[in-house]
PDB file of all heavy atoms in Angstrom:
ATOM      1  N   GLY A  74     -46.408  20.728  38.641  1.00 96.00           N
ATOM      2  CA  GLY A  74     -47.301  20.712  39.801  1.00 96.00           C
ATOM      3  C   GLY A  74     -47.624  22.121  40.275  1.00 96.00           C
ATOM      4  O   GLY A  74     -46.850  23.062  40.064  1.00 96.00           O
ATOM      5  N   GLY A  75     -48.789  22.249  40.899  1.00 97.00           N
ATOM      6  CA  GLY A  75     -49.128  23.489  41.591  1.00 97.00           C
ATOM      7  C   GLY A  75     -49.435  24.693  40.725  1.00 97.00           C
ATOM      8  O   GLY A  75     -49.385  25.831  41.192  1.00 97.00           O
ATOM      9  N   VAL A  76     -49.759  24.464  39.449  1.00 97.00           N
ATOM     10  CA  VAL A  76     -50.033  25.606  38.548  1.00 97.00           C
ATOM     11  C   VAL A  76     -51.526  25.975  38.512  1.00 97.00           C
ATOM     12  O   VAL A  76     -51.946  26.766  37.683  1.00 97.00           O
ATOM     13  CB  VAL A  76     -49.531  25.330  37.108  1.00 97.00           C
ATOM     14  CG1 VAL A  76     -48.026  25.182  37.075  1.00 97.00           C
ATOM     15  CG2 VAL A  76     -50.211  24.095  36.524  1.00 97.00           C
ATOM     16  N   ALA A  77     -52.293  25.377  39.428  1.00 98.00           N
ATOM     17  CA  ALA A  77     -53.733  25.660  39.561  1.00 98.00           C
ATOM     18  C   ALA A  77     -54.603  24.952  38.519  1.00 98.00           C
ATOM     19  O   ALA A  77     -55.622  25.486  38.088  1.00 98.00           O
ATOM     20  CB  ALA A  77     -54.013  27.168  39.605  1.00 98.00           C
ATOM     21  N   LYS A  78     -54.212  23.734  38.168  1.00 98.00           N
ATOM     22  CA  LYS A  78     -55.088  22.911  37.311  1.00 98.00           C
ATOM     23  C   LYS A  78     -56.427  22.672  38.020  1.00 98.00           C
ATOM     24  O   LYS A  78     -57.497  22.858  37.448  1.00 98.00           O
ATOM     25  CB  LYS A  78     -54.440  21.530  37.039  1.00 98.00           C
ATOM     26  CG  LYS A  78     -53.188  21.569  36.210  1.00 98.00           C
ATOM     27  CD  LYS A  78     -52.583  20.179  36.050  1.00 98.00           C
ATOM     28  CE  LYS A  78     -51.859  19.698  37.278  1.00 98.00           C
ATOM     29  NZ  LYS A  78     -50.677  20.475  37.657  1.00 98.00           N
ATOM     30  N   THR A  79     -56.316  22.236  39.282  1.00 98.00           N
ATOM     31  CA  THR A  79     -57.531  21.896  40.029  1.00 98.00           C
ATOM     32  C   THR A  79     -58.382  23.144  40.278  1.00 98.00           C
ATOM     33  O   THR A  79     -59.605  23.118  40.105  1.00 98.00           O
ATOM     34  CB  THR A  79     -57.120  21.232  41.359  1.00 98.00           C
ATOM     35  OG1 THR A  79     -56.363  20.055  41.048  1.00 98.00           O
ATOM     36  CG2 THR A  79     -58.321  20.855  42.194  1.00 98.00           C
ATOM     37  N   THR A  80     -57.728  24.230  40.641  1.00 98.00           N
ATOM     38  CA  THR A  80     -58.449  25.480  40.906  1.00 98.00           C
ATOM     39  C   THR A  80     -59.147  25.971  39.641  1.00 98.00           C
ATOM     40  O   THR A  80     -60.296  26.427  39.681  1.00 98.00           O
ATOM     41  CB  THR A  80     -57.445  26.542  41.420  1.00 98.00           C
ATOM     42  OG1 THR A  80     -56.774  25.999  42.565  1.00 98.00           O
ATOM     43  CG2 THR A  80     -58.121  27.828  41.788  1.00 98.00           C
ATOM     44  N   PRO A 280     -55.523  36.266  39.038  1.00 98.00           N
ATOM     45  CA  PRO A 280     -54.621  36.718  40.101  1.00 98.00           C
ATOM     46  C   PRO A 280     -54.742  35.854  41.364  1.00 98.00           C
ATOM     47  O   PRO A 280     -55.748  35.158  41.550  1.00 98.00           O
ATOM     48  CB  PRO A 280     -55.123  38.136  40.393  1.00 98.00           C
ATOM     49  CG  PRO A 280     -56.579  38.090  40.057  1.00 98.00           C
ATOM     50  CD  PRO A 280     -56.744  37.098  38.940  1.00 98.00           C
ATOM     51  N   ARG A 282     -55.773  35.404  44.921  1.00 98.00           N
ATOM     52  CA  ARG A 282     -56.787  36.108  45.712  1.00 98.00           C
ATOM     53  C   ARG A 282     -57.187  35.257  46.916  1.00 98.00           C
ATOM     54  O   ARG A 282     -57.364  34.044  46.783  1.00 98.00           O
ATOM     55  CB  ARG A 282     -58.062  36.333  44.873  1.00 98.00           C
ATOM     56  CG  ARG A 282     -57.933  37.403  43.814  1.00 98.00           C
ATOM     57  CD  ARG A 282     -57.890  38.795  44.428  1.00 98.00           C
ATOM     58  NE  ARG A 282     -57.861  39.826  43.417  1.00 98.00           N
ATOM     59  CZ  ARG A 282     -56.754  40.381  42.908  1.00 98.00           C
ATOM     60  NH1 ARG A 282     -55.564  39.973  43.330  1.00 98.00           N
ATOM     61  NH2 ARG A 282     -56.828  41.332  42.004  1.00 98.00           N
ATOM     62  N   LYS A 289     -62.682  27.657  48.593  1.00 97.00           N
ATOM     63  CA  LYS A 289     -62.297  26.246  48.767  1.00 97.00           C
ATOM     64  C   LYS A 289     -62.607  25.784  50.187  1.00 97.00           C
ATOM     65  O   LYS A 289     -63.123  24.673  50.374  1.00 97.00           O
ATOM     66  CB  LYS A 289     -60.805  26.082  48.448  1.00 97.00           C
ATOM     67  CG  LYS A 289     -60.358  24.645  48.428  1.00 97.00           C
ATOM     68  CD  LYS A 289     -59.002  24.464  47.799  1.00 97.00           C
ATOM     69  CE  LYS A 289     -57.883  24.834  48.738  1.00 97.00           C
ATOM     70  NZ  LYS A 289     -56.562  24.465  48.205  1.00 97.00           N
TER      71      LYS A 289
HETATM   72  N1  ATP B 587     -55.948  32.404  42.104  1.00 81.41           N
HETATM   73  C1  ATP B 587     -55.535  31.839  43.247  1.00 81.41           C
HETATM   74  N2  ATP B 587     -55.541  32.558  44.386  1.00 81.41           N
HETATM   75  C2  ATP B 587     -55.138  31.995  45.554  1.00 81.41           C
HETATM   76  N3  ATP B 587     -54.701  30.727  45.683  1.00 81.41           N
HETATM   77  C3  ATP B 587     -54.676  29.968  44.572  1.00 81.41           C
HETATM   78  C4  ATP B 587     -55.084  30.480  43.297  1.00 81.41           C
HETATM   79  N4  ATP B 587     -54.928  29.513  42.380  1.00 81.41           N
HETATM   80  C5  ATP B 587     -54.452  28.437  43.050  1.00 81.41           C
HETATM   81  N5  ATP B 587     -54.289  28.698  44.358  1.00 81.41           N
HETATM   82  C6  ATP B 587     -53.772  27.792  45.394  1.00 81.41           C
HETATM   83  O1  ATP B 587     -52.538  27.261  44.921  1.00 81.41           O
HETATM   84  C7  ATP B 587     -52.398  25.911  45.302  1.00 81.41           C
HETATM   85  C8  ATP B 587     -52.149  25.056  44.060  1.00 81.41           C
HETATM   86  O2  ATP B 587     -53.304  25.092  43.241  1.00 81.41           O
HETATM   87  P1  ATP B 587     -53.931  23.762  42.614  1.00 81.41           P
HETATM   88  O3  ATP B 587     -54.062  22.692  43.629  1.00 81.41           O
HETATM   89  O4  ATP B 587     -55.160  24.180  41.892  1.00 81.41           O
HETATM   90  O5  ATP B 587     -52.773  23.395  41.586  1.00 81.41           O
HETATM   91  P2  ATP B 587     -52.624  22.057  40.715  1.00 81.41           P
HETATM   92  O6  ATP B 587     -51.945  22.423  39.450  1.00 81.41           O
HETATM   93  O7  ATP B 587     -53.931  21.373  40.609  1.00 81.41           O
HETATM   94  O8  ATP B 587     -51.653  21.235  41.655  1.00 81.41           O
HETATM   95  P3  ATP B 587     -51.212  19.681  41.401  1.00 81.41           P
HETATM   96  O9  ATP B 587     -50.173  19.738  40.346  1.00 81.41           O
HETATM   97  O10 ATP B 587     -50.692  19.237  42.746  1.00 81.41           O
HETATM   98  O11 ATP B 587     -52.437  18.940  40.977  1.00 81.41           O
HETATM   99  C9  ATP B 587     -53.679  25.531  46.039  1.00 81.41           C
HETATM  100  O12 ATP B 587     -53.477  25.624  47.433  1.00 81.41           O
HETATM  101  C10 ATP B 587     -54.671  26.573  45.575  1.00 81.41           C
HETATM  102  O13 ATP B 587     -55.704  26.809  46.513  1.00 81.41           O
END
Side-chain angles (χ1 to χ4, degrees):
V76 296
K78 293 177 284 296
T79 300
T80 304
R282 286 288 184 267
K289 187 166 79 171

